[in-house]
Amino acid sequence: MAEKACWEYQGDPERPALLVQFANGRIQTPENIKFTLYKNNANEERILRAKTKRLNYVGKNFTPEALKSSSLCRYYVGVRNKETGKMQVFDAEQYSMQPIIEKSSTEDRPVKDTSEPEYKSYREKIDALIEAFGTNKQKRALSSRKMNKVETAIITQEVTKAADEIIEKRGTEDLLQEVVIRKEELWYSPFLPQCYASAKTQEDVYKFDELISPEEYAVLENVAAAFKNITPEELQEKVDKQEYSSYVLKELQDIKHAKDIDRQARALWYIELLMKICQSKTLKRKELFALGCPGIIVSKIMKNFTANTIKNEIVLNRITSTMKCKIMSHVVALALHVSDFSVDLTLLQRDLKLRETRVLEIAKAMRLRISSRYVFNTISSSERHKFGALELPLPIYKPNFGNRRKK
């Protein structure tokens, strides 16, 4: 009979355990490493320094790669007691330790041989040994490195010259503002639609033509005609049979009042398609063709919203949890254009069958302003819904490093 085990959360998000990974390999004597942690209490930035006999290492939790990693998942460390079978679980934070290459202390010592015009660094000494005693392969590598060094120096000079010309032409303030915008773009996950944070209008933050390309928009004319020309009787029949998602049915009720009915119909048809595939675990091309999808739409769905896995020597197109989040973000972006840039997130969450916390995380990553208000289902009943609005200037949310309550 298998042993029973249970776990108990003992962590503190403010004092996580430190998981370190060294970039240049595994340390042979980890017991001799001395760690020092530096923390900025104002913004939770931390720097971890590791000291060994040969090298020093440093890791930070606020680099772009660390911020992306911490915003997509959380880390935990479990310590299991073999006698009791209990496991204590603690919050953890991962650090990628990079080596610090310091100059040798011998470089500053005086050289006895005064015939040499200047001191040689450790690298130069190694190069001299290779030139005198190295193999042909080592000499070729040294020659190639020296050539690259010369080319790099020339490129650096040209880049510096070009940078000076750009600074003189555009001005320092304009360039600093562009740097701020670039840093903000590093917060975004590659699974989110492209966000233009510096856009002057709401329509340009998430561009419609990038969500549905002009070629895709053109082929949607025939399949979306049913939405464009729907009658009140047909709509009521769809509502009774619940053929479409709640969000699409709600928007179809007001489609005749839209500024561009044709564009509204095509966007709603595309949203309905994404919601249907989000309910699947695997997806086949013939299933999309059965839904009336044009070929160009089928190719895009299979390429952008599925992950390839191999099972029993067969390639499967799976709708993973990550892909469901990607589908959700594209649905939200399209819904912003449909719903005048204010979306009922609760309605979308129920249609896509995702957790509310995950939907809110996606909305914040897309820099929507979150609010809640009561929505009336019938004359006598109402419930509180979460809404996401696209407002300029876009709000900035700091990544959450884990504030889960103890269960």
Side-chain angles (χ1 to χ4, degrees):
M1 183 175 180
E3 294 183 1
K4 293 184 178 180
C6 62
W7 63 275
E8 181 180 3
Y9 178 77
Q10 296 286 345
D12 182 1
E14 299 299 327
R15 300 181 62 188
L18 307 180
L19 299 178
V20 297
Q21 183 177 8
F22 291 89
N24 60 339
R26 180 177 296 179
I27 303 298
Q28 299 295 329
T29 56
E31 65 276 2
N32 297 331
I33 305 176
K34 182 180 179 181
F35 289 96
T36 307
L37 180 66
Y38 304 93
K39 180 179 179 182
N40 187 342
N41 294 324
N43 52 17
E44 296 186 355
E45 292 182 351
R46 297 184 181 93
I47 298 176
L48 181 63
R49 185 182 180 93
K51 186 176 182 180
T52 65
K53 293 182 178 180
R54 299 183 63 184
L55 282 175
N56 292 338
Y57 299 83
V58 65
K60 303 176 183 178
N61 72 339
F62 51 89
T63 60
E65 293 78 8
L67 292 174
K68 285 184 180 180
S69 176
S70 60
S71 64
L72 294 175
C73 61
R74 296 183 178 92
Y75 298 94
Y76 296 92
V77 172
V79 181
R80 181 175 178 270
N81 189 324
K82 295 183 179 181
E83 297 179 358
T84 62
K86 292 184 178 180
M87 176 183 288
Q88 293 180 326
V89 178
F90 302 87
D91 292 278
E93 192 171 30
Q94 191 174 36
Y95 289 83
S96 178
M97 307 300 292
Q98 303 295 331
I100 302 175
I101 307 300
E102 299 179 349
K103 291 184 179 180
S104 174
S105 59
T106 59
E107 294 181 23
D108 298 330
R109 296 177 184 175
V111 181
K112 294 182 180 179
D113 187 4
T114 56
S115 62
E116 293 185 8
E118 58 183 12
Y119 301 131
K120 287 187 177 181
S121 66
Y122 177 77
R123 180 74 264 177
E124 291 172 336
K125 293 177 181 178
I126 295 296
D127 291 345
L129 288 174
I130 292 176
E131 289 179 347
F133 307 104
T135 62
N136 291 334
K137 183 177 181 181
Q138 290 175 326
K139 291 179 180 179
R140 287 195 299 269
L142 176 60
S143 176
S144 176
R145 180 160 55 81
K146 287 185 176 181
M147 290 295 296
N148 290 337
K149 186 176 181 180
V150 173
E151 293 176 0
T152 302
I154 296 174
I155 292 173
T156 302
Q157 292 177 359
E158 294 297 326
V159 170
T160 303
K161 181 179 178 181
D164 292 338
E165 293 177 355
I166 293 173
I167 292 173
E168 183 178 355
K169 183 178 179 180
R170 296 181 56 183
T172 306
E173 293 184 1
D174 188 17
L175 292 174
L176 289 175
Q177 181 64 27
E178 184 175 339
V179 170
V180 172
I181 294 171
R182 296 291 185 186
K183 286 184 177 180
E184 290 178 357
E185 291 177 353
L186 291 175
W187 286 75
Y188 305 128
S189 164
F191 296 102
L192 298 178
Q194 178 66 44
C195 176
Y196 297 91
S198 59
K200 303 299 182 182
T201 62
Q202 294 170 309
E203 289 82 359
D204 292 333
V205 176
Y206 293 102
K207 295 183 179 180
F208 187 85
D209 289 344
E210 293 185 1
L211 299 169
I212 301 178
S213 68
E215 295 80 9
E216 295 163 353
Y217 185 84
V219 300
L220 289 176
E221 180 179 4
N222 294 332
V223 293
F227 282 10
K228 178 181 178 182
N229 304 319
I230 193 169
T231 63
E233 294 77 14
E234 291 174 340
L235 179 59
Q236 186 59 46
E237 182 180 353
K238 303 294 184 185
V239 172
D240 295 338
K241 294 182 179 180
Q242 296 183 348
E243 290 188 14
Y244 302 138
S245 60
S246 300
Y247 172 79
V248 171
L249 290 173
K250 177 178 174 295
E251 293 298 332
L252 284 176
Q253 295 175 1
D254 300 323
I255 193 171
K256 299 301 181 183
H257 305 291
K259 295 179 181 179
D260 189 340
I261 298 178
D262 190 31
R263 172 173 161 167
Q264 199 88 337
R266 300 188 198 197
L268 287 174
W269 190 92
Y270 198 85
I271 289 173
E272 179 64 25
L273 174 65
L274 291 177
M275 287 186 173
K276 285 182 179 178
I277 67 174
C278 191
Q279 312 304 320
S280 306
K281 292 184 178 180
T282 59
L283 192 64
K284 298 180 180 179
R285 299 178 69 91
K286 64 179 182 181
E287 295 174 350
L288 294 175
F289 283 117
L291 295 174
C293 286
I296 187 174
I297 302 293
V298 173
S299 299
K300 178 181 179 179
I301 294 295
M302 300 299 290
K303 178 182 178 181
N304 295 341
F305 298 107
T306 64
N308 293 335
T309 59
I310 300 177
K311 184 177 181 180
N312 297 330
E313 299 182 357
I314 299 176
V315 178
L316 300 177
N317 298 97
R318 297 183 60 242
I319 310 295
T320 62
S321 57
T322 303
M323 287 300 167
K324 288 185 178 182
C325 292
K326 185 176 182 180
I327 292 171
M328 174 68 193
S329 65
H330 281 71
V331 167
V332 170
L334 280 171
L336 288 171
H337 289 275
V338 171
S339 303
D340 197 20
F341 301 101
S342 181
V343 182
D344 189 336
L345 297 175
T346 301
L347 207 58
L348 294 180
Q349 172 240 323
R350 292 174 181 174
D351 287 334
L352 292 168
K353 295 181 174 56
L354 297 176
R355 291 183 290 108
E356 184 183 72
T357 53
R358 178 53 59 88
V359 173
L360 293 179
E361 287 174 357
I362 294 173
K364 289 181 179 180
M366 296 179 68
R367 300 183 67 174
L368 303 185
R369 196 172 298 280
I370 310 300
S371 62
S372 59
R373 61 176 179 263
Y374 283 99
V375 174
F376 291 91
N377 296 327
T378 61
I379 298 177
S380 59
S381 65
S382 63
E383 59 181 354
R384 200 171 186 84
H385 282 209
K386 297 286 186 180
F387 282 80
L390 185 63
E391 299 178 1
L392 298 177
L394 300 178
I396 298 177
Y397 299 96
K398 291 185 178 180
N400 182 11
F401 291 103
N403 291 321
R404 296 203 172 191
R405 292 184 298 177
K406 181 178 178 179
K407 293 184 179 180

